[in-house]
Amino acid sequence: DLGFRASPLAVVGLSAGGNLAMAALLAPLLLHHAPPPVVEALGGCDPVMPDAILLLCPVLNICRSPSPSRVVFASDVLLPQPLLKAFATAYDNDSDHWMVRDPIFSPVFAPDEALRQLPPTTILCGGLDPLLDDSVDFNTRIRRMGVPGELHIYRSLPHTFVSFPHWHILPEVESALAKSVQFLRAVCSAAPAAGVGGSATPPGGSD
């Protein structure tokens, strides 16, 4: 308890940070999937949502099953298939979470009633990212649930393209950074500010 309410509040996650961000927001809504320490910590709390979510090249599905983008970009320089599998194994301790499609680990499988409670959510990802299909699938699901926001795919960029400062001069990277700033400014300038648990209304739509 910080003793104050941040207002407005946006949650931003890059790559695995996007997974952690979504897991943290969904866990209070899915306590039957959460581990005992999380249930004990959150069991008496009402779910609280930020005003907006910004996901950059997020990890939204740790299942080992292939998808077109994972197959086509299996030899990606930044996230080749063996490394992707090793990361997933380390993340879920090689448990059966991925087989049962646990939504805490793979938010793309969260139930409709949980996704419907998300605030405006914008997703940015690279067109050469092995995880591209996961962002597209997640975007499709949340839009069907009425969650406003946008999906932007930068066709010639790989996973976590915003992480490399020397790439920031590339037009597509500049565009992605500008879009991120635009989205966050829209959240912060929304009036009146909704505060934690409210819902700001940045521009919606999709690419």
Side-chain angles (χ1 to χ4, degrees), residues 23-107:
L25 296 175
L26 291 172
L29 306 174
L30 303 169
L31 288 180
H32 56 292
H33 284 279
V38 175
V39 174
E40 183 178 352
L42 299 178
C45 300
D46 294 328
V48 176
M49 285 290 164
D51 295 287
I53 302 170
L54 175 62
L55 301 175
L56 308 169
C57 306
V59 178
L60 298 168
N61 182 359
I62 65 167
C63 289
R64 313 302 196 266
S65 55
S67 69
S69 63
R70 294 188 188 204
V71 172
V72 172
F73 306 123
S75 299
D76 178 71
V77 174
L78 297 175
L79 196 61
Q81 188 64 29
L83 186 60
L84 178 60
K85 183 178 179 180
F87 284 157
T89 299
Y91 189 57
D92 64 10
N93 200 27
D94 203 22
S95 65
D96 63 352
H97 286 285
W98 69 275
M99 296 183 66
V100 299
R101 297 185 171 186
D102 188 332
I104 299 295
F105 284 84
S106 297

Side-chain angles (χ1 to χ4, degrees), residues 26 29 47 49-50 111-120 145 147 198:
L26 291 172
L29 306 174
M49 285 290 164
D112 291 349
E113 59 269 22
L115 296 180
R116 194 174 287 117
Q117 298 184 55
L118 294 178
M145 294 301 102
V147 177

